[in-house]
Amino acid sequence: MEADQTHSFNQKLSQWIASQGFWFQLRHSISGCGGWAMTINHLTRIGLKVAIALLVASAIFGVWLVKRVKSESFVESLGGGLRDGLSASEAKIVNYHRSSGEAVIQRVTVEGGENSFFHSLDAGNVRFKMPLLAGMSGPWQAGTLQAKVMELKVKAGADSPEQAKKFGEVIFRDWPGFEFSSVEVDEASVSWGYSLRAPGMIEKSRMVAIRSSEGWRLEFKGGKFSQNWLKNLTIEHLVMEVSRGGLLIKEGKFKSEDGKVVLKDLRVTGGNKPEVSGRAEFTKVSLASLLPDVATNYVEGNISGELAISGSTNSVEGIQFEGDVKLDEGSLISIQERLYLMKALALADRFNSYRKVDFTRGGFHIKTGGGALKLSRVDLIAGDLMTMQGNLEVRYPTDQELVGPDGVKVPARFTPFAKPSADSDKSAASASASAPTGGAAAQKGNEIYDRRAQERITEQLQKEDLERRSQALRCSGTMRISIMGEAFDRNQPLRDAYPVDPETKRISIEVPLDGPLLELTRKQAEKITELAEALER
């Protein structure tokens, strides 16, 4: 009986001690009152409870961390940090999730603000490192920011030196709490320029941007490069360094069919009106890379020379190219029979062919800028068949010229364009394909996508208008051509109208080059044709 009572008493005592807390139990065990066995028993039970408590707490904390990075407030904080870091007016992040220790964002859309250096930025399939404790324990080490596609519209310049300074602060600032080493984009498109008549663009190029001690180092490979009349050059390797002093092209190599363009000593100074200076070396560059598509129906070939680069991105004239072009070995300029004058000469001259006149010697001075292309000091030689001297300016037509007496004839010769409604639908669909959908509240937050869709529609219509104008280019100038003295031997009216020069033994013809490009040399050709047919009558 006593044994049972003792056992019962010890059990109750143990239970009471267990209910007194860890420190009392520890002191009780150490004092020897409970014995070593009881001490170990108490410690084991306490350790088990602590382990269970920690496990439960860790599980709860882990669930909270996972839900935290998936929460709408977290995504909004990312968008807010992006907006503030770029001094943008608005930034949206769409379809964000975390996978295998990385943040994955389907689409990022940013609208530039008054103090940001860009108008708009769109990026798709963005990835970067994201530990669960990102943003909680020290700076977020994001590593390399990767994107599948990116479109960036850079401002041509600033409205004042103060604003230009703020642009620089955005470009070179550190991001507190968010550290990244570089930016990599598989297909990067970057555009700049004061207007569509003086645009510049890098299109769908592989871009790597690395932070340096001075600022940024950007490298592009593949894709296309365009600036003013120079267009669709294939980028072999383009390396630029961006610092507070401006932009320096360390290497710029491009291809144009079998030719190449190399940029040398090209710099862009900082400030509200960035000034460009440098040189471009052309080697057998195709005229298709220099002329509007409509002009290549009449002229083809390739040229070489070194052109000076000047001007400003923040001006109506834009970036200008100017220099002397020489036809060296392997270079030529061919005029096709599609030109009215060539057709007329082919009819009047029964001794020579004008189906394709190849100029293989000579050169000219070229200047581009402000939507115009000027050729001066033209002096070209196509063997004994033809020589050409003079000057020519080609420019985009004004609104009045498009609808005037000459302009009404032009639209019939335009290539077909997509209907605005079709383009609008495509652009809107592209701009809002990744936008979140839902109720009125969700739609209310999507104004940025509606604006971007409308901007794309406007840009497309502007490009179509420019293409339309390029098919109605206006020309002014005069060329004097000379052909072989025997050309009109069988046609006395032509011999009387265009006599042979007794010194050169050649026939000289003054050719005015005024009016729409598509009508070029028409009046002169009609006169020659009329005289050629007069003999037959």
Side-chain angles (χ1 to χ4, degrees):
M1 189 67 180
E2 272 187 31
D4 293 338
Q5 290 177 344
T6 301
H7 180 69
S8 177
F9 173 79
N10 287 335
Q11 274 190 330
K12 292 179 179 180
L13 180 62
S14 296
Q15 291 175 358
W16 179 81
I17 292 172
S19 66
Q20 298 307 301
F22 173 75
W23 294 112
F24 180 84
Q25 295 177 52
L26 187 59
R27 288 196 304 271
H28 176 74
S29 300
I30 294 174
S31 66
C33 298
W36 281 108
M38 186 174 291
T39 299
I40 294 174
N41 181 49
H42 286 320
L43 290 175
T44 302
R45 290 168 61 186
I46 291 169
L48 184 60
K49 290 178 181 179
V50 171
I52 293 173
L54 289 175
L55 184 62
V56 172
S58 298
I60 294 173
F61 184 64
V63 171
W64 178 81
L65 284 177
V66 172
K67 288 187 175 181
R68 164 182 168 265
V69 298
K70 291 183 178 180
S71 67
E72 185 176 344
S73 61
F74 184 78
V75 177
E76 289 179 354
S77 69
L78 287 179
L82 183 62
R83 180 195 64 231
D84 296 341
L86 293 175
S87 294
S89 60
E90 189 172 354
K92 283 286 185 180
I93 292 176
V94 176
N95 291 347
Y96 155 84
H97 67 278
R98 183 179 180 274
S99 175
S100 302
E102 287 187 328
V104 182
I105 302 173
Q106 182 177 351
R107 183 181 179 191
V108 175
T109 301
V110 186
E111 278 188 348
E114 181 181 357
N115 296 325
S116 57
F117 66 92
F118 60 92
H119 292 291
S120 63
L121 184 155
D122 285 280
N125 296 331
V126 181
R127 308 176 71 95
F128 49 88
K129 292 180 181 179
M130 184 182 182
L132 275 176
L133 296 177
M136 295 182 63
S137 58
W140 183 341
Q141 301 292 339
T144 298
L145 307 185
Q146 298 174 304
K148 179 66 177 176
V149 295
M150 181 190 75
E151 293 182 6
L152 176 65
K153 289 186 63 178
V154 180
K155 292 181 179 179
D159 296 330
S160 65
E162 291 74 21
Q163 188 182 49
K165 184 178 180 180
K166 292 179 179 179
F167 287 2
E169 291 174 356
V170 174
I171 296 173
F172 303 110
R173 73 168 33 145
D174 292 324
W175 293 60
F178 187 85
E179 297 181 358
F180 61 97
S181 57
S182 59
V183 180
E184 296 183 5
V185 182
D186 292 340
E187 293 183 359
S189 296
V190 184
S191 60
W192 59 90
Y194 184 83
S195 69
L196 284 177
R197 295 191 181 188
M201 173 176 283
I202 293 172
E203 189 174 9
K204 294 183 178 180
S205 178
R206 166 72 178 171
M207 183 194 84
V208 177
I210 302 175
R211 283 181 176 273
S212 66
S213 58
E214 299 295 327
W216 288 90
R217 176 185 171 89
L218 280 69
E219 182 176 357
F220 295 88
K221 288 184 178 180
K224 299 293 183 179
F225 175 87
S226 302
Q227 180 63 62
N228 291 29
W229 295 79
L230 189 64
K231 63 183 187 299
N232 294 330
L233 299 181
T234 300
I235 301 173
E236 284 193 326
H237 199 202
L238 176 60
V239 180
M240 60 184 75
E241 292 183 352
V242 184
S243 65
R244 294 187 180 275
L247 182 148
L248 171 64
I249 301 294
K250 299 291 290 185
E251 183 178 3
K253 295 181 178 179
F254 311 89
K255 289 188 65 176
S256 171
E257 296 183 3
D258 295 331
K260 63 180 181 179
V261 177
V262 179
L263 300 181
K264 296 182 176 181
D265 304 321
L266 184 61
R267 298 175 180 271
V268 182
T269 61
N272 57 309
K273 191 176 181 180
E275 295 291 336
V276 181
S277 64
R279 296 173 294 137
E281 184 181 85
F282 287 55
T283 305
K284 297 181 181 177
V285 174
S286 171
L287 289 177
S289 296
L290 285 165
L291 301 177
D293 292 340
V294 65
T296 58
N297 293 326
Y298 307 101
V299 183
E300 64 180 24
N302 59 78
I303 59 174
S304 300
E306 185 170 282
L307 306 184
I309 305 175
S310 61
S312 172
T313 56
N314 197 18
S315 67
V316 177
E317 293 76 15
I319 297 176
Q320 303 172 26
F321 292 83
E322 183 174 8
D324 293 326
V325 170
K326 299 293 184 183
L327 298 184
D328 56 12
E329 184 177 354
S331 296
L332 63 85
I333 295 176
S334 299
I335 296 181
Q336 307 296 315
E337 192 184 26
R338 295 188 185 93
L339 194 69
Y340 288 113
L341 181 60
M342 296 298 109
K343 290 180 180 179
L345 290 175
L347 177 65
D349 186 352
R350 302 301 176 88
F351 300 101
N352 302 292
S353 172
Y354 297 89
R355 180 176 296 276
K356 184 180 180 182
V357 179
D358 293 334
F359 294 93
T360 57
R361 290 187 293 151
F364 52 87
H365 186 82
I366 184 173
K367 181 178 181 180
T368 69
L373 183 150
K374 299 178 181 179
L375 303 180
S376 59
R377 304 200 297 271
V378 176
D379 188 3
L380 301 175
I381 302 173
D384 292 330
L385 181 61
M386 184 179 290
T387 66
M388 181 183 296
Q389 292 85 31
N391 59 82
L392 172 66
E393 179 177 352
V394 183
R395 60 174 175 81
Y396 287 100
T398 64
D399 293 338
Q400 186 176 1
E401 288 171 331
L402 277 179
V403 300
D406 292 328
V408 294
K409 302 176 184 178
V410 177
R413 296 185 177 90
F414 286 164
T415 54
F417 293 99
K419 296 180 180 179
S421 58
D423 284 325
S424 300
D425 292 341
K426 290 180 181 179
S427 299
S430 174
S432 59
S434 305
T437 58
Q443 294 298 325
K444 186 178 179 181
N446 293 341
E447 292 89 351
I448 186 174
Y449 304 110
D450 296 335
R451 290 193 296 271
R452 290 294 294 125
Q454 186 58 49
E455 287 173 9
R456 289 175 183 271
I457 293 171
T458 302
E459 290 169 6
Q460 180 63 28
L461 293 177
Q462 288 176 339
K463 288 178 181 179
E464 288 187 0
D465 178 68
L466 190 65
E467 178 64 23
R468 177 173 177 266
R469 291 174 186 273
S470 73
Q471 296 186 56
L473 291 170
R474 311 294 291 195
C475 301
S476 61
T478 303
M479 289 290 175
R480 176 178 289 274
I481 68 169
S482 74
I483 56 178
M484 299 176 68
E486 63 182 20
F488 299 151
D489 279 357
R490 296 185 179 182
N491 192 303
Q492 190 60 40
L494 281 171
R495 287 181 62 85
D496 293 341
Y498 303 103
V500 177
D501 187 303
E503 293 184 5
T504 63
K505 308 299 182 183
R506 298 181 67 82
I507 299 172
S508 295
I509 303 175
E510 193 86 7
V511 184
L513 300 175
D514 297 316
L517 177 64
L518 296 176
E519 300 290 317
L520 212 58
T521 73
R522 183 168 186 165
K523 292 181 179 180
Q524 192 70 50
E526 287 176 347
K527 180 180 178 181
I528 293 175
T529 301
E530 182 180 354
L531 291 172
E533 293 176 346
L535 182 64
E536 298 178 2
R537 292 196 297 267

